[in-house]
Amino acid sequence: MDQELYSKERSASLDLLLRFQRLLISKLYPADCVGQVPNTYSPDLLGVGSLLKKYTALLCTHIGDILPVATSIASTSHRHFAEVSLSSVFSVLGILLPELVVSIVLLLSKNAGLMQEAGAIPLLAGLLEHLDRFNHLAPGKERDDNEDLAWPGIMGSFFTGQSCRNNEEVTLIRKADLENHNKDGGFWTVIDGKVYDIKDFQTQSLTGSSIL
């Protein structure tokens, strides 16, 4: 229902393009094409593949024309970025392009040989630089990038200058190893299945060794 409500807000021309795009994808996604050897596809199937390439080329040309202009306007301020992102010219980027990319990925998983024959994929690669340049203007990009990098063990090594060797030297410590180490004057403890060396903390702590 939400999709139907959203479709009513689209322009007639955009809706027609979306239907045409879906028709092309559906024609290239038959159940009987799995496992076919390249260069043995029917002329009709190759014709649809050629049409998809032409459609993708036109779409990429259009996006390639509007994105540099949009990037120039959006670089003025965050408010300009928001206005450009919500403008009607960006409906192609928000509706047609994402669905086309996902559809091509599905087609690749279904029959990579046919998609290589069609030759539509390399055309999309030309948009990466334009899209990346525009996305870098998004407010909060630095925060999002940092959150994407915030995987366990990565932030510490990147931003504290520590070597990645710490992650490579993780070993399994047996209970006997821990007991022997502590008998020799060490102070290892286990928290949630991980062994921590709190010897240095012991000397600084005011609570005493018994509580630790």
Side-chain angles (χ1 to χ4, degrees):
M1 292 176 64
D2 292 338
Q3 183 65 25
E4 288 301 317
L5 180 64
Y6 184 61
S7 65
K8 293 178 181 178
E9 299 174 357
R10 295 196 298 255
S11 65
S13 57
L14 182 63
D15 199 57
L16 186 63
L17 277 174
L18 186 60
R19 289 172 182 270
F20 175 70
Q21 179 175 295
R22 289 174 177 175
L23 179 63
L24 286 177
I25 298 299
S26 67
K27 292 294 183 182
L28 288 171
Y29 203 81
D32 57 352
C33 74
V34 181
Q36 276 190 282
V37 181
N39 301 322
T40 64
Y41 305 109
S42 68
D44 290 344
L45 207 57
L46 291 175
V48 177
S50 176
L51 196 57
L52 176 65
K53 181 179 180 180
K54 292 178 182 178
Y55 169 79
T56 305
L58 289 171
L59 189 67
C60 290
T61 299
H62 175 65
I63 295 174
D65 288 340
I66 65 173
L67 259 182
V69 178
T71 301
S72 176
I73 298 173
S75 63
T76 308
S77 67
H78 291 336
R79 185 177 63 83
H80 284 80
F81 179 89
E83 291 293 335
V84 169
S85 300
L86 294 173
S87 63
S88 58
V89 295
F90 257 59
S91 56
V92 173
L93 277 175
I95 298 174
L96 295 179
L97 185 62
E99 186 169 314
L100 178 63
V101 171
V102 172
S103 299
I104 286 179
V105 170
L106 288 172
L107 287 171
L108 270 172
S109 67
K110 189 78 170 177
N111 198 324
L114 178 60
M115 291 309 297
Q116 289 175 355
E117 285 285 327
I121 299 171
L123 298 172
L124 293 169
L127 295 178
L128 291 176
E129 187 177 345
H130 294 303
L131 289 167
D132 191 54
R133 193 173 294 127
F134 181 81
N135 288 334
H136 268 72
L137 298 174
K141 180 201 63 87
E142 291 82 5
R143 182 197 65 229
D144 293 340
D145 285 348
N146 288 336
E147 289 178 356
D148 289 342
L149 287 172
W151 293 87
I154 293 182
M155 291 293 284
S157 60
F158 270 96
F159 296 102
T160 63
Q162 296 177 355
S163 171
C164 294
R165 290 176 57 198
N166 293 336
N167 293 331
E168 297 171 0
E169 294 175 356
V170 173
T171 56
L172 180 65
I173 298 177
R174 298 173 301 175
K175 185 178 179 181
D177 296 332
L178 184 141
E179 292 174 349
N180 290 333
H181 178 82
N182 289 348
K183 285 179 182 178
D184 294 336
F187 208 150
W188 286 356
T189 187
V190 180
I191 303 174
D192 292 334
K194 296 178 182 178
V195 178
Y196 294 87
D197 187 350
I198 58 173
K199 180 69 176 178
D200 293 339
F201 181 72
Q202 178 191 13
T203 61
Q204 301 170 11
S205 174
L206 301 176
T207 60
S209 299
S210 60
I211 295 180
L212 285 175

